[in-house]
Each structure stands twice: as C-alpha cells, then as structure tokens.
C-alpha cells in the first residue's frame, strides 16, 4: 500500500490555512477548446493569493510525442520558481473541473520530488460551497527557489508500453464514447489502445465532484484476477487527465501507476494498432 502524503485537502482545511505564509495556491483553470478562458475567469475572480498556472504553456511542451508532452524538468522547476512556488511551500492546486486538469501539475511536482503538494478536493465548486472568500485582486508573490530532480520519474513512453503490452494493466480514463471510438476529438481518430480498460474520471467522483473514498476507488482502479498482479499504467487523450487517474490511485492506497504522458494522442498518430468498442480487446480498426 502507498504510504505517501494524502494528496487531498478539503475546502474547509484550506480556508483555515489561508493566511499561512507557507501556503501557495495554484489556479489551473482550463477549458478544452477555449484558449484564454481560464486566465480570463481567473482575473474576474479567484481564491485570495492564488496564482494562475497555464496548462498549455507552464505545464506542457509544444506538441511532439503527443498533444501535451511534459516540459524539460529543469525548465519547469525554474518556471514554478518564477511564479512563486518553492520547495519550502505547501502547494495547493485546483481547477474548475474537480481536479481533472489541475492533477497534471500535482503529478508533475510529485513525480519530480516536491515534498508537499495537495489537490483541493472538489475544486472551485467545493470552495464556493463553503462560501470561501473570492477576489479579483491578483497576487504577485516573490520568486522562490524550486529545485527538483532533473529527469521525469514514474512515466512511460510509447515504445516502452508497446514492449510491455500484456504485462501491464492499462487504464484509460477518458469518457466511454471517446474510448470506444464513437466520439473523437477534432483532427483525431477514435478508439483505444488494445488491452486498455476504461475507467472514466467521472466514475471516480462523487455527485458533488469530490474524489470517492479509498474503499470505493480501490476496486474501480485495481484490475481483477491476473490483472491485479500487473503494474498499473494510466492514460487518456493527451496525458493530462491520466494524472487524475494517478491521483485517484494514490488516494486508493495503490502503488503509484506509471503515467503514459503521450497517451492516445501519441499512440494513434504513429500507426500503432487501435481497438474500438466497449471492451479492452475490441476489434482492431484499419486506418
């Protein structure tokens, strides 16, 4: 079982700690297909002291091996320091999607060795649910020192995954229609990596947008039978919401899964086999 720090903080816990000078809040609001909306909404209102972190520019490199590759670790650490996030801070992250996008920053900092990164359970919805303070004043924290390891840990690439097919338990956290192939993002093919189980992010949440309990998450994320003995790998479309699957696995007490950072956007663009339908070993489609 995983004994690392509980990655979640409740809205009430954050409210109590809001004046703690060691707390730094990252607002990672992101809206798929609506560039600029996250930063615009941030300027209109946010949790006091929060700093906006742009998923496309701060948490991703230009498209290459997938739609949103992770940036160079050293450059990423330097950027976090510029934004006022340091090694000595407790970094609390949230978004407007119950953690599905903000978990990217959580996973990046966690995998690179930051000792104290938390996700606001339920995101903005939970904060507003307790009438937490809200402001349009933009904080300008002093730059901080952020030193992390220089190589990504806990990730897997396409070549490694292809070699390990059948030897890992691959979990795809996208919506069922996207996983099955009935619905595909613009300029992309539909379907999934052969052998991947579908466990949508939404299935990991309660009705109010918080993560389910460890007892509920464990049988959802961990495979059955022989799969339960295999290393866990999480994937999605572009390597972002896969990090939410990694967050859920941590909450469930499982060993941290490998994150396929390129995910389906990388796999499907390189001529690899693609399966359709609701089952992991669905029919292979010709492209």
């Amino acid at each position: 079982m995983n004994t690392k720090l509980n990655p979640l903080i409740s809205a009430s816990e954050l409210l109590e700690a809001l004046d703690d000078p060691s707390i730094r809040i990252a607002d990672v609001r992101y809206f798929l297909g609506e560039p600029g909306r996250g930063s615009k909404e941030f300027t209109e209102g946010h949790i006091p002291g929060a700093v906006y972190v742009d998923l496309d520019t701060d948490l991703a490199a230009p498209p290459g091996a997938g739609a949103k590759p992770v940036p160079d670790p050293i450059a990423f650490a330097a950027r976090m320091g510029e934004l006022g996030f340091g090694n000595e801070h407790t970094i609390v992250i949230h978004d407007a999607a119950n953690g599905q996008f903000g978990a990217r920053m959580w996973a990046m900092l966690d995998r690179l060795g930051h000792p104290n990164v938390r996700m606001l359970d339920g995101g903005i919805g939970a904060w507003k649910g307790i009438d937490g303070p809200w402001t349009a004043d933009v904080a300008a924290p002093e730059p901080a020192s952020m030193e992390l390891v220089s190589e990504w840990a806990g990730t897997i690439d396409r070549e490694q995954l292809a070699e390990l097919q059948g030897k890992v338990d691959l979990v795809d956290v996208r919506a069922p229609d996207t996983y099955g192939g009935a619905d595909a993002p613009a300029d992309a093919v539909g379907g999934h990596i052969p052998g991947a189980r579908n466990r949508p992010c939404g299935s990991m949440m309660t009705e109010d947008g918080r993560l389910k309990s460890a007892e509920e998450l464990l049988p959802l994320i961990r495979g059955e039978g022989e799969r339960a003995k295999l290393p866990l790998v999480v994937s999605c479309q572009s390597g972002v919401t896969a990090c939410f699957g990694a967050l859920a696995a941590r909450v469930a007490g499982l060993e941290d899964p490998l994150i396929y950072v390129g995910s389906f956007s990388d796999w499907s663009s390189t001529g690899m086999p693609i399966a359709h339908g609701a089952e992991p070993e669905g029919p292979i489609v010709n492209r």
Side-chain angles (χ1 to χ4, degrees):
M1 300 296 283
N2 200 320
T3 58
K4 291 184 179 179
L5 172 76
N6 175 11
L8 302 180
I9 184 172
S10 70
S12 58
E13 288 173 325
L14 178 59
L15 181 60
E16 290 180 5
L18 201 57
D19 294 328
D20 185 336
S22 70
I23 296 286
R24 292 291 184 274
I25 303 171
D27 188 320
V28 193
R29 269 180 273 186
Y30 178 80
F31 299 89
L32 193 62
E34 298 183 70
R37 179 179 168 184
S39 60
K40 179 176 182 295
E41 290 197 2
F42 172 81
T43 60
E44 293 171 349
H46 51 265
I47 298 173
V51 173
Y52 183 69
V53 179
D54 192 300
L55 193 152
D56 282 325
T57 59
D58 297 325
L59 304 180
K68 289 185 176 13
V70 288
D72 172 75
I74 296 175
F76 168 66
R79 178 57 180 158
M80 292 298 99
E82 290 173 358
L83 292 174
F85 301 107
N87 291 81
E88 73 276 18
H89 296 131
T90 295
I91 300 174
V92 178
I93 304 164
H94 74 82
D95 57 23
N98 305 321
Q100 293 183 75
F101 299 121
R104 168 74 169 228
M105 182 175 173
W106 169 82
M108 290 170 67
L109 289 169
D110 183 77
R111 298 299 169 100
L112 290 176
H114 194 285
N116 203 352
V117 190
R118 314 289 289 276
M119 287 294 302
L120 177 58
D121 195 16
I124 286 178
W127 184 254
K128 291 186 174 180
I130 64 164
D131 294 322
W134 200 246
T135 183
D137 295 335
V138 177
E142 291 292 324
S145 175
M146 175 75 80
E147 294 184 6
L148 304 171
V149 298
S150 59
E151 293 184 3
W152 289 105
T155 62
I156 189 171
D157 62 25
R158 179 184 357 103
E159 290 80 7
Q160 292 169 325
L161 182 60
E163 290 178 3
L164 291 172
Q165 277 198 293
K167 299 178 181 178
V168 295
D169 183 15
L170 180 60
V171 174
D172 186 322
V173 303
R174 296 175 298 161
D177 284 350
T178 308
Y179 167 88
D183 179 39
D187 302 319
V189 298
H192 58 269
I193 299 169
R197 291 186 292 124
N198 188 211
R199 293 294 185 269
C201 288
S203 70
M204 304 176 192
M205 301 177 198
T206 61
E207 290 185 0
D208 62 1
R210 292 172 174 80
L211 265 171
K212 290 181 176 178
S213 68
E215 292 75 19
E216 293 171 300
L217 288 169
L218 186 58
L220 181 66
I221 299 171
R222 181 72 277 181
E224 299 178 347
E226 291 301 311
R227 274 185 177 265
K229 303 175 184 178
L230 301 176
L232 194 64
V233 178
V234 287
S235 73
C236 58
Q237 185 67 29
S238 61
V240 174
T241 56
C243 298
F244 186 81
L247 176 72
R250 174 76 63 83
V251 172
L254 293 167
E255 289 300 315
D256 289 330
L258 295 171
I259 299 171
Y260 178 17
V261 178
S263 282
F264 193 71
S265 63
D266 174 52
W267 185 273
S268 62
S269 67
T270 53
M272 302 298 285
I274 295 173
H276 266 191
E279 297 300 322
E281 300 294 351
I284 305 297
V285 297
N286 293 320
R287 293 179 292 136

